[in-house]
Amino acid sequence: MGVIANRIWLPAAAAVPQERGTDYFAPVDGADWSDGFGWHRGFFSSFRLRAGREAWFHFPLPTSILRDGRQQALAEVSLMWEVTDGARIHWLVLQHGGMDRIPLTERETEPDSVAVPFDPPEQWRQYYPSSARRLTTIAFDPLLPLRFGVQLCVGVTAPERDGTIRFYGAGAGFADLD
């Protein structure tokens, strides 16, 4: 892996669900207006996936293919997330140039991750929901030379009962190719 020359991070509101509507998404946290759409909060973006459904979420990552005249390469991608109830991440994929699909994990396999605990200051605690954030970072070895933009695609399923996916953001690390 090359030395990371540039790193970006997108907030949770950048999550774009591929599917929409009440056939896919139930109300989040009792907010009836979120039925079919999900809920973009300042803390995270939540989607309540209905039982028996799969949905894809996309994070379009700003991609610099040249930096100071040097070709760039993708060194790593990251995703901060959590699932509750019946939801689970079942596949991570990277799209390069819109058409090249690069699997980052095996299908039907939750990605490796580490806990990212957060303990808000006591005076603000009442405004923060409890969380069990996870961080997945996938390094590219060899580096992925960039010619086009990239997006991180997250496949989520709720096989047996409704479940919630929360996204806290996604990011990427870039390195000089040469």
Side-chain angles (χ1 to χ4, degrees):
M1 186 168 108
V3 175
I4 293 180
N6 188 22
R7 192 180 305 274
I8 60 156
W9 188 259
L10 295 175
V16 178
Q18 181 171 302
E19 291 78 9
R20 288 180 176 76
T22 57
D23 286 346
Y24 282 91
F25 299 116
V28 177
D29 297 338
D32 289 340
W33 56 264
S34 67
D35 193 17
F37 299 101
W39 188 350
H40 294 284
R41 295 178 174 167
F43 305 111
F44 48 75
S45 290
S46 296
F47 301 88
R48 183 98 177 141
L49 190 58
R50 292 197 184 274
R53 291 293 191 174
E54 292 184 7
W56 282 95
F57 299 88
H58 305 286
F59 285 90
L61 299 166
T63 308
S64 180
I65 58 173
L66 285 176
R67 186 171 87 62
D68 296 329
R70 302 172 98 174
Q71 184 181 3
Q72 295 297 283
L74 188 61
E76 68 181 28
V77 293
S78 298
L79 178 70
M80 194 177 325
W81 56 277
E82 82 177 283
V83 290
T84 64
D85 306 323
R88 65 182 180 84
I89 293 176
H90 71 89
W91 202 11
L92 293 180
V93 175
L94 184 81
Q95 287 181 323
H96 180 227
M99 298 299 283
D100 292 330
R101 185 169 67 181
I102 303 165
L104 302 176
T105 63
E106 295 292 324
R107 282 190 69 130
E108 305 304 325
T109 304
E110 187 172 272
D112 291 338
S113 63
V114 296
V116 183
F118 177 71
D119 188 21
E122 190 166 336
Q123 74 267 27
W124 302 111
R125 218 166 266 157
Q126 65 182 340
Y127 301 107
Y128 285 83
S130 62
S131 68
R133 301 180 312 170
R134 310 289 306 165
L135 178 64
T136 295
T137 301
I138 298 173
F140 286 80
D141 187 19
L143 299 175
L144 175 66
L146 294 171
R147 182 173 173 206
F148 306 108
V150 294
Q151 82 176 344
L152 179 60
C153 306
V154 183
V156 179
T157 186
E160 297 175 14
R161 65 183 199 271
D162 290 1
T164 300
I165 177 78
R166 290 184 180 141
F167 295 111
Y168 294 88
F174 303 95
D176 293 337
L177 190 57
D178 49 349

